[in-house]
Amino acid sequence: MRRVFEEELNDLHLRFSEMGMMVNEAIYKSVKAFINHDKELASEVIKSDQAINARELDLEKRSFEMIALQQPVTTDLRIIVTVMKASSDLERMADHAVSIAKSTIRVKGNKRIPEIEAEIAEMADKVKVMVEDVLEAYVKNDAKRAKKIAAMDSEVDIYFKKIYKNCIEEMKSNSEIVVGASDYMLVAGYLERIGDYVTNICEWIVYLSTGKVSELNSTNKK
């Protein structure tokens, strides 16, 4: 019976990791589509969200079934709770990737600001690294690494503030870019929120390792 339960736990781990990779790809594609004004790629991101939502529901269903049927205790229960909570955060991250993709679909010949787009690309790269690292930290149950990843969110916040400020300045000097700059601000905001959700997952990794719920970067989170 224990062997069957361990196999189910391993399968839960695998499915969660796969969901993480799906979400990371959605984030990458959404930003790439926005920067390149690639509406076809943006549409792919929107369509892929159905599979991500289905995976989150599947993980939740499996988790509840394992709790009800296996009645796990201590460490095993923490693993299941972590997957349930972290998969919910991943699903919300994917929702923000969809929002970025929808911004791409919505844009119609807006005047571009290459400097700000470069900043958004850099911000997206930072977020992508955070997502990849947090998935690795989860697999290795590395609470120390999770805390370091959470600290990286302050860099994402700095990018957001910088992009927001630059957009405001551009809008003041040129009314023709108001719509485009507004989209830049929205996209930067979505990326900033994704960074917050990565921090949430870091907190669940710490919980998985220690059994204690810790709030990381509370001053940066909204």
Side-chain angles (χ1 to χ4, degrees), residues 55-122:
R55 177 57 60 93
E56 194 259 339
L57 290 173
D58 176 66
L59 284 169
E60 183 180 69
K61 178 175 178 290
R62 289 171 182 270
S63 297
F64 278 127
E65 287 177 349
M66 291 178 70
I67 292 172
L69 300 176
Q70 304 291 352
Q71 297 182 339
V73 294
T74 60
T75 303
D76 292 335
L77 182 59
R78 291 209 303 266
I79 292 172
I80 296 171
V81 170
T82 296
V83 169
M84 288 177 62
K85 295 294 186 177
S87 62
S88 178
D89 288 322
L90 283 177
E91 192 274 332
R92 291 185 178 94
M93 289 159 64
D95 285 344
H96 286 307
V98 168
S99 295
I100 295 172
K102 287 181 177 179
S103 292
T104 303
I105 300 293
R106 186 173 61 246
V107 169
K108 293 183 179 180
N110 291 340
K111 186 175 178 61
R112 304 178 67 171
I113 310 171
E115 295 81 7
I116 294 180
E117 290 188 351
E119 291 172 350
I120 290 174
E122 290 176 9

Coordinates of all heavy atoms in Angstrom, one line a residue, residues 55-122:
R55 N -4.7 21.1 -16.3 CA -3.6 20.4 -15.5 C -3.8 20.8 -14.0 O -3.6 20.0 -13.1 CB -2.3 20.8 -16.0 CG -1.1 20.3 -15.2 CD -1.1 18.7 -15.0 NE -1.1 18.1 -16.3 CZ 0.0 17.6 -16.9 NH1 1.2 17.9 -16.3 NH2 0.0 17.0 -18.0
E56 N -4.1 22.1 -13.8 CA -4.3 22.6 -12.4 C -5.5 21.9 -11.7 O -5.4 21.5 -10.6 CB -4.5 24.1 -12.4 CG -4.4 24.7 -11.0 CD -5.7 25.0 -10.3 OE1 -6.7 25.2 -11.1 OE2 -5.7 25.2 -9.1
L57 N -6.6 21.7 -12.4 CA -7.7 21.0 -11.9 C -7.4 19.6 -11.7 O -7.9 19.0 -10.7 CB -8.9 21.2 -12.9 CG -9.6 22.6 -13.0 CD1 -10.6 22.6 -14.1 CD2 -10.2 23.0 -11.7
D58 N -6.7 19.0 -12.5 CA -6.3 17.6 -12.4 C -5.4 17.4 -11.1 O -5.6 16.4 -10.3 CB -5.5 17.1 -13.6 CG -5.0 15.7 -13.4 OD1 -5.8 14.7 -13.4 OD2 -3.8 15.5 -13.4
L59 N -4.5 18.3 -10.9 CA -3.6 18.2 -9.7 C -4.4 18.4 -8.4 O -4.2 17.7 -7.4 CB -2.5 19.3 -9.8 CG -1.4 19.0 -10.7 CD1 -0.5 20.2 -10.9 CD2 -0.5 17.8 -10.2
E60 N -5.4 19.3 -8.5 CA -6.2 19.5 -7.3 C -7.1 18.3 -7.0 O -7.2 17.9 -5.9 CB -7.2 20.7 -7.6 CG -8.1 21.1 -6.4 CD -8.9 22.3 -6.7 OE1 -9.9 22.1 -7.5 OE2 -8.7 23.3 -6.1
K61 N -7.7 17.7 -8.1 CA -8.5 16.5 -7.9 C -7.7 15.3 -7.3 O -8.1 14.7 -6.4 CB -9.1 16.1 -9.2 CG -9.9 14.8 -9.2 CD -10.6 14.6 -10.6 CE -11.4 13.3 -10.6 NZ -10.5 12.1 -10.6
R62 N -6.5 15.1 -7.9 CA -5.6 14.0 -7.4 C -5.2 14.3 -6.0 O -5.1 13.3 -5.2 CB -4.4 13.9 -8.3 CG -4.7 13.3 -9.7 CD -3.5 13.4 -10.6 NE -3.8 12.9 -11.9 CZ -3.6 11.7 -12.3 NH1 -3.1 10.8 -11.5 NH2 -3.9 11.3 -13.6
S63 N -4.9 15.5 -5.6 CA -4.5 15.8 -4.3 C -5.6 15.6 -3.3 O -5.4 14.9 -2.2 CB -4.1 17.3 -4.2 OG -2.9 17.6 -5.0
F64 N -6.8 16.0 -3.6 CA -7.9 15.7 -2.7 C -8.2 14.2 -2.5 O -8.5 13.8 -1.4 CB -9.2 16.5 -3.2 CG -9.3 17.9 -2.8 CD1 -9.5 18.9 -3.8 CD2 -9.1 18.3 -1.5 CE1 -9.6 20.2 -3.5 CE2 -9.2 19.7 -1.2 CZ -9.4 20.6 -2.1
E65 N -8.1 13.5 -3.6 CA -8.3 12.1 -3.6 C -7.3 11.4 -2.7 O -7.6 10.5 -1.9 CB -8.3 11.5 -5.0 CG -9.5 11.8 -5.8 CD -9.4 11.3 -7.2 OE1 -8.3 10.8 -7.6 OE2 -10.5 11.3 -7.9
M66 N -6.0 11.8 -2.8 CA -4.9 11.2 -2.0 C -5.1 11.5 -0.5 O -4.9 10.7 0.4 CB -3.6 11.7 -2.4 CG -3.2 11.2 -3.8 SD -1.6 11.9 -4.4 CE -0.5 11.0 -3.2
I67 N -5.6 12.7 -0.2 CA -5.9 13.1 1.2 C -7.0 12.3 1.8 O -7.0 11.7 2.9 CB -6.2 14.6 1.3 CG1 -4.9 15.4 1.0 CG2 -6.7 14.9 2.7 CD1 -5.1 16.9 0.9
A68 N -8.1 12.1 0.9 CA -9.3 11.4 1.4 C -9.1 9.9 1.5 O -9.5 9.3 2.5 CB -10.4 11.7 0.4
L69 N -8.3 9.3 0.5 CA -8.2 7.9 0.5 C -7.0 7.3 1.3 O -7.0 6.3 1.8 CB -8.1 7.4 -1.0 CG -9.4 7.7 -1.8 CD1 -9.1 7.3 -3.3 CD2 -10.6 7.1 -1.3
Q70 N -5.9 8.1 1.2 CA -4.7 7.7 1.9 C -4.4 8.2 3.3 O -3.6 7.7 4.0 CB -3.5 8.1 1.0 CG -3.5 7.6 -0.5 CD -3.4 6.1 -0.6 OE1 -3.1 5.4 0.4 NE2 -3.6 5.5 -1.8
Q71 N -5.1 9.3 3.6 CA -5.0 10.0 4.9 C -3.5 10.2 5.3 O -3.1 9.7 6.3 CB -5.7 9.2 6.0 CG -7.2 9.1 5.7 CD -8.0 8.3 6.8 OE1 -7.4 7.5 7.5 NE2 -9.3 8.6 6.9
P72 N -2.8 10.9 4.4 CA -1.4 11.1 4.7 C -1.1 11.9 5.9 O -2.0 12.7 6.3 CB -0.9 11.8 3.4 CG -2.1 12.5 2.9 CD -3.2 11.6 3.2
V73 N 0.0 11.8 6.5 CA 0.4 12.6 7.7 C 1.7 13.3 7.5 O 2.5 12.9 6.6 CB 0.4 11.7 9.0 CG1 -0.9 11.2 9.3 CG2 1.4 10.6 8.8
T74 N 2.0 14.3 8.3 CA 3.3 15.0 8.4 C 3.8 15.3 7.0 O 3.2 16.0 6.2 CB 4.3 14.2 9.2 OG1 4.5 12.9 8.6 CG2 3.8 14.0 10.6
T75 N 5.0 14.8 6.7 CA 5.8 15.1 5.5 C 5.0 14.9 4.2 O 4.9 15.7 3.3 CB 7.1 14.4 5.4 OG1 7.9 14.6 6.5 CG2 7.9 14.8 4.2
D76 N 4.3 13.7 4.1 CA 3.5 13.4 2.9 C 2.4 14.4 2.7 O 2.1 14.8 1.6 CB 2.9 12.0 3.0 CG 4.0 10.9 3.0 OD1 5.1 11.2 2.4 OD2 3.8 9.8 3.5
L77 N 1.7 14.8 3.8 CA 0.6 15.8 3.7 C 1.2 17.1 3.2 O 0.5 17.8 2.4 CB -0.1 15.9 5.0 CG -1.3 16.9 5.1 CD1 -2.3 16.4 4.1 CD2 -1.8 16.9 6.5
R78 N 2.4 17.5 3.7 CA 3.0 18.8 3.3 C 3.3 18.8 1.8 O 3.1 19.8 1.1 CB 4.3 19.1 4.1 CG 4.0 19.4 5.6 CD 5.1 20.3 6.1 NE 6.5 19.7 6.0 CZ 7.1 19.0 6.9 NH1 6.5 18.7 8.0 NH2 8.3 18.6 6.7
I79 N 3.7 17.7 1.3 CA 4.0 17.6 -0.1 C 2.7 17.8 -0.9 O 2.7 18.6 -1.9 CB 4.5 16.2 -0.5 CG1 5.9 16.0 0.1 CG2 4.6 16.0 -2.0 CD1 6.4 14.6 0.0
I80 N 1.6 17.2 -0.5 CA 0.3 17.3 -1.3 C -0.2 18.8 -1.2 O -0.7 19.3 -2.2 CB -0.7 16.3 -0.7 CG1 -0.2 14.9 -1.0 CG2 -2.1 16.5 -1.4 CD1 -1.1 13.8 -0.3
V81 N -0.1 19.3 0.0 CA -0.6 20.7 0.2 C 0.2 21.7 -0.6 O -0.3 22.6 -1.2 CB -0.5 21.1 1.7 CG1 -0.8 22.6 1.9 CG2 -1.6 20.3 2.5
T82 N 1.5 21.4 -0.7 CA 2.4 22.3 -1.4 C 2.1 22.3 -2.9 O 2.0 23.3 -3.6 CB 3.9 21.9 -1.3 OG1 4.3 22.1 0.1 CG2 4.8 22.7 -2.2
V83 N 1.8 21.1 -3.4 CA 1.4 20.9 -4.8 C 0.1 21.6 -5.1 O 0.0 22.4 -6.1 CB 1.3 19.4 -5.2 CG1 0.7 19.3 -6.6 CG2 2.7 18.8 -5.3
M84 N -0.8 21.5 -4.2 CA -2.1 22.2 -4.4 C -2.0 23.7 -4.5 O -2.5 24.3 -5.4 CB -3.1 21.7 -3.3 CG -3.6 20.3 -3.4 SD -4.7 19.9 -2.0 CE -6.0 21.1 -2.2
K85 N -1.3 24.2 -3.5 CA -1.1 25.7 -3.4 C -0.3 26.2 -4.5 O -0.6 27.2 -5.1 CB -0.5 26.0 -2.0 CG -1.4 25.7 -0.8 CD -2.7 26.5 -0.8 CE -3.5 26.3 0.4 NZ -4.7 27.2 0.5
A86 N 0.9 25.6 -4.8 CA 1.8 26.1 -5.8 C 1.2 25.9 -7.2 O 1.5 26.8 -8.0 CB 3.1 25.3 -5.7
S87 N 0.4 24.9 -7.5 CA -0.2 24.8 -8.8 C -1.2 25.9 -9.0 O -1.4 26.3 -10.1 CB -0.8 23.4 -8.9 OG -1.9 23.2 -8.0
S88 N -1.9 26.3 -7.9 CA -2.8 27.4 -8.0 C -2.0 28.7 -8.4 O -2.5 29.5 -9.3 CB -3.5 27.6 -6.7 OG -4.4 28.7 -6.8
D89 N -0.9 28.9 -7.8 CA 0.0 30.1 -8.2 C 0.4 30.0 -9.6 O 0.5 31.0 -10.3 CB 1.2 30.2 -7.2 CG 0.8 30.6 -5.8 OD1 -0.1 31.5 -5.7 OD2 1.4 30.1 -4.9
L90 N 0.8 28.8 -10.1 CA 1.2 28.6 -11.5 C 0.1 29.0 -12.4 O 0.3 29.6 -13.5 CB 1.6 27.2 -11.7 CG 3.0 26.7 -11.2 CD1 3.2 25.2 -11.5 CD2 4.1 27.5 -11.9
E91 N -1.1 28.6 -12.1 CA -2.3 28.9 -12.9 C -2.5 30.4 -13.0 O -2.8 30.9 -14.1 CB -3.5 28.1 -12.3 CG -4.7 28.1 -13.3 CD -5.6 29.4 -13.2 OE1 -5.6 30.0 -12.1 OE2 -6.2 29.8 -14.2
R92 N -2.3 31.1 -12.0 CA -2.5 32.5 -12.0 C -1.4 33.2 -12.8 O -1.6 34.2 -13.5 CB -2.5 33.1 -10.6 CG -3.7 32.7 -9.8 CD -3.8 33.4 -8.4 NE -5.0 33.0 -7.7 CZ -5.1 32.1 -6.8 NH1 -4.0 31.3 -6.6 NH2 -6.2 31.8 -6.1
M93 N -0.2 32.6 -12.7 CA 0.9 33.1 -13.6 C 0.6 33.0 -15.1 O 0.8 33.9 -15.9 CB 2.2 32.4 -13.2 CG 2.8 32.7 -11.9 SD 3.9 31.5 -11.2 CE 5.2 31.5 -12.4
A94 N 0.0 31.8 -15.4 CA -0.4 31.6 -16.8 C -1.5 32.6 -17.2 O -1.5 33.0 -18.4 CB -0.9 30.2 -16.9
D95 N -2.4 32.9 -16.3 CA -3.4 33.9 -16.6 C -2.8 35.3 -17.0 O -3.3 35.9 -17.9 CB -4.4 34.1 -15.4 CG -5.3 33.0 -15.2 OD1 -5.5 32.2 -16.1 OD2 -5.9 32.8 -14.1
H96 N -1.7 35.6 -16.3 CA -1.1 36.9 -16.6 C -0.4 36.8 -18.0 O -0.3 37.8 -18.7 CB -0.1 37.3 -15.5 CG -0.7 37.8 -14.3 ND1 -1.6 38.8 -14.3 CD2 -0.6 37.3 -13.0 CE1 -2.1 39.0 -13.0 NE2 -1.5 38.1 -12.2
A97 N 0.2 35.6 -18.3 CA 0.7 35.4 -19.6 C -0.3 35.6 -20.7 O -0.1 36.2 -21.8 CB 1.4 34.0 -19.7
V98 N -1.5 35.1 -20.4 CA -2.6 35.3 -21.4 C -3.0 36.8 -21.5 O -3.3 37.3 -22.6 CB -3.9 34.5 -20.9 CG1 -5.1 34.9 -21.7 CG2 -3.6 33.0 -21.0
S99 N -2.9 37.5 -20.4 CA -3.2 38.9 -20.4 C -2.2 39.7 -21.3 O -2.6 40.6 -22.1 CB -3.2 39.5 -19.0 OG -4.3 39.0 -18.2
I100 N -1.0 39.3 -21.2 CA 0.1 39.9 -22.1 C -0.2 39.5 -23.5 O -0.1 40.4 -24.4 CB 1.5 39.3 -21.7 CG1 1.8 39.8 -20.3 CG2 2.5 39.8 -22.7 CD1 3.1 39.2 -19.7
A101 N -0.6 38.3 -23.8 CA -1.0 37.9 -25.2 C -2.1 38.7 -25.7 O -2.2 39.1 -26.9 CB -1.2 36.4 -25.2
K102 N -3.1 38.9 -24.8 CA -4.3 39.7 -25.3 C -3.9 41.1 -25.6 O -4.5 41.8 -26.5 CB -5.4 39.6 -24.2 CG -6.1 38.3 -24.1 CD -7.2 38.2 -23.1 CE -7.9 36.9 -23.0 NZ -8.9 36.8 -22.0
S103 N -2.9 41.7 -24.8 CA -2.5 43.0 -25.2 C -1.9 43.0 -26.6 O -2.0 44.0 -27.3 CB -1.4 43.4 -24.1 OG -2.0 43.6 -22.9
T104 N -1.2 42.0 -26.9 CA -0.6 41.9 -28.3 C -1.7 41.9 -29.3 O -1.6 42.5 -30.4 CB 0.2 40.6 -28.4 OG1 1.2 40.6 -27.4 CG2 0.9 40.5 -29.8
I105 N -2.8 41.1 -29.1 CA -3.9 41.0 -30.0 C -4.6 42.4 -30.2 O -5.0 42.8 -31.3 CB -4.9 40.0 -29.5 CG1 -4.3 38.6 -29.4 CG2 -6.1 39.9 -30.5 CD1 -3.9 37.9 -30.7
R106 N -4.7 43.1 -29.1 CA -5.4 44.3 -29.0 C -4.7 45.5 -29.7 O -5.3 46.4 -30.3 CB -5.6 44.7 -27.6 CG -6.5 45.9 -27.4 CD -6.9 46.2 -25.9 NE -5.7 46.4 -25.1 CZ -5.3 45.5 -24.1 NH1 -5.9 44.4 -23.9 NH2 -4.2 45.8 -23.4
V107 N -3.3 45.4 -29.7 CA -2.5 46.5 -30.3 C -2.8 46.6 -31.8 O -2.7 45.6 -32.5 CB -1.0 46.3 -30.0 CG1 -0.2 47.2 -30.8 CG2 -0.7 46.4 -28.5
K108 N -3.0 47.8 -32.3 CA -3.2 48.0 -33.7 C -2.3 49.2 -34.2 O -2.7 50.4 -34.1 CB -4.6 48.3 -34.0 CG -5.6 47.1 -33.8 CD -7.0 47.5 -34.2 CE -7.9 46.3 -34.0 NZ -9.3 46.6 -34.4
G109 N -1.1 48.9 -34.5 CA -0.2 49.9 -35.1 C 0.2 51.0 -34.2 O 0.4 52.2 -34.6
N110 N 0.3 50.7 -32.9 CA 0.7 51.7 -31.9 C 2.1 52.1 -32.2 O 3.0 51.3 -32.6 CB 0.6 51.2 -30.5 CG -0.9 51.1 -30.1 OD1 -1.8 51.7 -30.7 ND2 -1.1 50.3 -29.1
K111 N 2.5 53.4 -31.9 CA 3.8 53.8 -32.0 C 4.7 53.1 -31.0 O 4.4 53.0 -29.8 CB 3.9 55.3 -31.8 CG 5.3 55.9 -32.1 CD 5.3 57.4 -31.9 CE 6.6 58.0 -32.1 NZ 7.2 57.8 -33.5
R112 N 5.8 52.6 -31.5 CA 6.7 51.8 -30.6 C 7.8 52.6 -30.0 O 8.3 53.6 -30.5 CB 7.3 50.6 -31.4 CG 6.3 49.8 -32.1 CD 6.8 48.7 -32.9 NE 7.5 47.7 -32.1 CZ 8.0 46.5 -32.6 NH1 7.8 46.2 -33.9 NH2 8.6 45.6 -31.8
I113 N 8.2 52.1 -28.8 CA 9.3 52.8 -28.1 C 10.4 51.7 -27.8 O 10.3 50.9 -26.8 CB 8.9 53.4 -26.7 CG1 7.6 54.3 -27.0 CG2 10.0 54.2 -26.1 CD1 7.0 54.8 -25.7
P114 N 11.3 51.5 -28.7 CA 12.3 50.4 -28.6 C 13.0 50.3 -27.3 O 13.3 49.2 -26.8 CB 13.3 50.8 -29.8 CG 12.5 51.6 -30.7 CD 11.6 52.4 -29.9
E115 N 13.4 51.5 -26.7 CA 14.1 51.5 -25.4 C 13.2 50.8 -24.3 O 13.8 50.0 -23.5 CB 14.4 52.9 -25.0 CG 15.4 53.6 -25.9 CD 14.8 54.2 -27.1 OE1 13.5 54.2 -27.2 OE2 15.5 54.7 -28.0
I116 N 12.0 51.1 -24.3 CA 11.1 50.5 -23.3 C 10.8 49.1 -23.5 O 10.8 48.2 -22.6 CB 9.8 51.3 -23.1 CG1 10.1 52.7 -22.6 CG2 8.8 50.6 -22.2 CD1 8.8 53.6 -22.5
E117 N 10.7 48.7 -24.8 CA 10.5 47.3 -25.2 C 11.7 46.5 -24.8 O 11.6 45.3 -24.3 CB 10.2 47.2 -26.7 CG 8.9 47.7 -27.1 CD 8.5 47.4 -28.5 OE1 9.4 46.9 -29.3 OE2 7.4 47.7 -28.9
A118 N 12.9 47.1 -24.9 CA 14.1 46.4 -24.5 C 14.1 46.2 -22.9 O 14.5 45.1 -22.5 CB 15.4 47.2 -24.9
E119 N 13.6 47.2 -22.2 CA 13.5 47.0 -20.8 C 12.5 45.9 -20.4 O 12.8 45.1 -19.4 CB 13.1 48.3 -20.1 CG 14.2 49.4 -20.2 CD 13.7 50.8 -19.8 OE1 12.5 50.9 -19.6 OE2 14.5 51.7 -19.6
I120 N 11.4 45.9 -21.1 CA 10.4 44.8 -20.8 C 11.0 43.4 -21.1 O 10.8 42.5 -20.4 CB 9.2 45.1 -21.7 CG1 8.4 46.3 -21.2 CG2 8.2 43.8 -21.7 CD1 7.2 46.7 -22.0
A121 N 11.8 43.3 -22.2 CA 12.4 42.1 -22.5 C 13.4 41.6 -21.4 O 13.5 40.5 -21.1 CB 13.2 42.2 -23.9
E122 N 14.2 42.6 -20.9 CA 15.1 42.3 -19.8 C 14.3 41.9 -18.5 O 14.7 40.9 -17.9 CB 15.9 43.5 -19.5 CG 17.0 43.9 -20.6 CD 17.7 45.2 -20.2 OE1 17.6 45.7 -19.1 OE2 18.5 45.6 -21.1

